Amino acid sequence: MKSTFLDNWNIIRVFRLLIGIAIIVQAVVSKDFLLAIAGFAFTVMALFNIGCCGTRGCRVSPKQKQTLAKDISYEEVA
């Protein structure tokens, strides 16, 4: 559980956390309950590293090594 919070931080995750905190602050200032729910959602998405597709639903698979094609030898049949 600890690794969920501490690992794999990227710029989008930090941005999502900052936006979530800013929305929560604005919700407290304006006393808007619905805005606080949106801020809470952004903050939770950043903390648990989840998004619209779940934890790894939209990820791109890593590049695989390409194997070189082997030369095929042919025999002439007469």
Side-chain angles (χ1 to χ4, degrees):
M1 186 69 153
K2 185 178 179 181
S3 66
T4 303
F5 295 118
L6 300 177
D7 292 343
N8 299 328
W9 281 90
N10 56 18
I11 191 71
I12 299 300
R13 193 170 171 189
V14 171
F15 182 69
R16 196 180 300 150
L17 180 66
L18 293 175
I19 291 296
I21 292 170
I23 291 173
I24 289 173
V25 168
Q26 182 62 35
V28 169
V29 169
S30 66
K31 298 175 184 165
D32 188 2
F33 179 70
L34 291 176
L35 192 61
I37 291 173
F40 181 72
F42 272 96
T43 305
V44 167
M45 284 170 46
L47 289 177
F48 289 110
N49 197 21
I50 56 175
C52 59
C53 298
T55 54
R56 294 184 184 210
C58 296
R59 75 179 176 112
V60 177
S61 58
K63 212 175 205 183
Q64 296 178 358
K65 292 183 181 178
Q66 295 179 355
T67 58
L68 298 174
K70 295 181 180 179
D71 290 334
I72 301 173
S73 61
Y74 294 98
E75 291 181 21
E76 187 173 332
V77 180

